[in-house]
Amino acid sequence: MRAIRVEATNGPEAALPAEVPAPAPGDHVLVDVHAAGVSFPELLMCSGQYQMRPDPPFVPGSEVAGTVVSAPPGSGLGAGDRVAAFSVYGGWAERVAVPVHAVFALPPGLSFTAGAALPMNYLTGHFALVRRARLEKGETVLVHGAAGGVGTAAIQIARTYGARVIAVASSAAKRDLARQAGADHTVDVPGFAAAVRDLTRGTGADVIVDPVGGDRVTDSLRCLRPEERLLVVGFTGGEIPSVRLNRLLLNNISVVGVAWGAYWMSRPAYLAEQLPIRHHGSGARRLAFLE
């Protein structure tokens, strides 16, 4: 079958079309891939810079959407079902085999393209805000990288849980995208801390979602309310920042790590907690939070 295979870990340009063996489903769900996501971790993986470092050659692709070819008995899935799946590897191919717990039927009307964007971005955002931050209704959430995949997902999830959202983005076009995603306010990167203080009448944000890192972390800590939390989601800015611990001490601030993949891979049942499954008359499994 056709696939995009990484021949050497020297960057995305090493991801090339190739013929590879078709996967054997075993006790997994075999999926015909109609759309596959391209995430920031996969770009790092192509350069050998991610914490997961498969030996080349390998086929990347951690999130896909498509139709079921075959599924194990009792899985609630059948041939022809439209699904989204978190494949970890192998999704940049015509077919991929995925464990049952990481495959979920798509509601009618949700496109394959949208479905392929769900697993990494939305489940990371949900894990960050709901489990790690324990977000409460009425809190103010600041989202960095607000026009990116995790950023737009975090905006929508925070709004769903009744939070007020301030989005930080580096251009007018990106800020417009954040507003379309549901942000209550949008601000530019330069001066964002002062803007947050103005918008919150000096009290600051309750939760900060930061998939960017780099030199904005210090200002993020400055615009947090005492006893509140900064969520470290990633480092798309390219630099892993250092934090002066006295800043945490003086305002009783929490810096909270968010590693969704590392968490659920050792606890596969957690995916079902994030995505409650409703069994309809057809027996198909659906993502309840999408309905």
Side-chain angles (χ1 to χ4, degrees), residues 7-27:
E7 305 294 341
T9 52
N10 55 6
E13 63 274 8
L16 301 170
E19 287 290 327
V20 302
D27 59 356

Side-chain angles (χ1 to χ4, degrees), residues 7 19 26-27 29 58 102 130 139 144 148 181 189 229 259-260 268 281-282:
E7 305 294 341
E19 287 290 327
D27 59 356
V29 179
F58 64 92
V130 177
E139 290 190 308
H144 286 293
V189 175
R229 52 268 199 225
W260 169 72
S282 64

